[in-house]
Amino acid sequence: MFSVEQSGTFGLGDLPVKRLGYGAMRLSGPGIFGPPKDRDAALAVLREAVASGVNHIDTSDYYGPYITNQLIREALHPYPDDLVIVTKIGARRGEDASWLPASSPAELSQAVHDNLRNLSLDVLDVVNLRNMLGVEASMEAPLMVLADLQRQGLVRHIGLSNVTPAQIAEGRRICGIVCVQNHYNVAYRKDDALIDSLAGDRVAYVPFFPLGGFTPLQSSTLSDVAEDLGATPMQVALAWLLRRAPHILLIPGTSSSAHLRENLAAAELDLPDEALKRLDGLTSLAAS
């Protein structure tokens, strides 16, 4: 069994977590909607992740919806003392499996209570406000709601997801922000400058789609480096992210125990400087 100890640690506020965590999104059915094909396998993946040292799980009640959080509760409750569960609000699922904004005060409050209930928690460790309103939208109104829920003791820490630097700056004028979740990986680096700016403030950066998301990363350079190192391309992509900056936290998702082990093994993969240089040149969208 692999351990994630070598990935190092970083804090989500006052909550230290291993830098290689687990994203639970894929535990629900196709399209992140409905129940999993194999419920026992989904429960086994969660238990193996925690047994391997993972203490940072990313989830949301709109995965399924509700199903992923219910699986987490069934597999892991009562939770280990050091387990940090990070959830998201700000979206909901339509009956046709569409992804819809849910940012009104009532929707946000309901989402927090739904996450508490389905995870069987009294307080949520970290809640990310997912921006579904666009790059020009103000985060003030929904963040004020979330900050009020924090004052009520229902939320410990607050993060932002799918946001611009301007939206982050706006958010930090309203409340403390412990993490930012945006699209980023070895081939998609629009947030390079943002990552560097967050480092000085010790705000964690959590890339979603670290392996390409619904369209897995494909690159001859990535494959060649992996072959030279006796690793898989996905392990190399994760190892590059761990090397990119110490405040980057990874949450690769899978519904397969075999893929989980492959991902966790990236913690032990040492990238030589020459391999790092080749990967640094691999980008389909450079920062501008």
Side-chain angles (χ1 to χ4, degrees), residues 24-47:
M25 181 178 74
R26 294 182 180 275
L27 290 182
S28 53
I32 323 302
F33 198 75
K37 181 178 180 180
D38 188 334
R39 186 178 186 87
D40 289 340
L43 297 173
V45 168
L46 286 162
R47 289 168 180 148

Side-chain angles (χ1 to χ4, degrees), residues 166-222:
Q167 289 168 330
I168 296 167
E170 179 188 39
R172 295 181 71 188
R173 291 192 290 269
I174 297 168
C175 61
I177 301 296
V178 302
C179 59
V180 171
Q181 279 194 7
N182 276 359
H183 183 188
Y184 185 83
N185 56 52
V186 68
Y188 185 93
R189 302 187 202 164
K190 187 176 180 180
D191 270 1
D192 267 335
L194 174 61
I195 289 171
D196 294 339
S197 71
L198 293 175
D201 296 321
R202 293 195 61 79
V203 175
Y205 184 90
V206 188
F208 63 74
F209 295 160
L211 299 177
F214 298 107
T215 305
L217 294 172
Q218 294 186 16
S219 161
S220 58
T221 299
L222 195 60

Side-chain angles (χ1 to χ4, degrees), residues 33 35 40 42 52 55 121 126 138 141 162 197 210 215 225 235 245 277:
F33 198 75
D40 289 340
S52 300
N55 67 345
L121 288 169
V126 183
S138 171
N162 199 38
S197 71
T215 305
V225 170
Q235 287 171 336
K277 182 178 179 180

Side-chain angles (χ1 to χ4, degrees), residues 74-92:
E74 181 177 347
L76 302 175
H77 194 274
Y79 302 114
D81 290 341
D82 69 337
L83 181 63
V84 176
I85 299 177
V86 179
T87 190
K88 286 177 291 298
I89 63 175
R92 64 181 178 85

Side-chain angles (χ1 to χ4, degrees), residues 2-4 6 20 231-232 235 238-239 242 259-270:
F2 293 102
S3 172
V4 299
Q6 292 187 43
L20 188 48
T232 70
Q235 287 171 336
L238 292 173
L242 288 172
H259 288 161
L260 173 70
R261 295 180 203 117
E262 177 183 327
N263 291 341
L264 297 185
E268 302 175 355
L269 181 60
D270 182 32

Side-chain angles (χ1 to χ4, degrees), residues 42-178:
L43 297 173
V45 168
L46 286 162
R47 289 168 180 148
E48 182 167 349
V50 171
S52 300
V54 167
N55 67 345
H56 171 202
I57 293 179
D58 182 83
T59 185
S60 175
D61 237 14
Y62 57 74
Y63 296 159
Y66 311 120
I67 289 167
T68 296
N69 279 353
Q70 292 167 357
L71 289 168
I72 291 171
R73 182 186 65 205
E74 181 177 347
L76 302 175
H77 194 274
Y79 302 114
D81 290 341
D82 69 337
L83 181 63
V84 176
I85 299 177
V86 179
T87 190
K88 286 177 291 298
I89 63 175
R92 64 181 178 85
R93 305 303 298 276
E95 292 183 1
D96 59 352
S98 55
W99 302 79
L100 303 170
S103 297
S104 72
E107 288 172 320
L108 295 171
S109 179
Q110 185 64 53
V112 164
H113 285 90
D114 286 345
N115 276 279
L116 288 167
R117 182 181 66 257
N118 284 312
L119 289 167
S120 194
L121 288 169
D122 295 321
V123 57
L124 298 173
D125 291 327
V126 183
V127 176
N128 286 313
L129 175 62
R130 170 73 175 187
N131 173 28
M132 298 285 289
L133 304 176
V135 297
E136 301 296 330
S138 171
M139 297 291 98
E140 181 176 4
L143 264 183
M144 291 289 285
V145 175
L146 189 49
D148 184 57
L149 292 165
Q150 184 182 44
R151 286 189 289 270
Q152 294 176 37
L154 301 179
V155 174
R156 189 167 183 177
H157 295 297
I158 294 173
L160 292 169
S161 177
N162 199 38
V163 285
T164 66
Q167 289 168 330
I168 296 167
E170 179 188 39
R172 295 181 71 188
R173 291 192 290 269
I174 297 168
C175 61
I177 301 296
V178 302

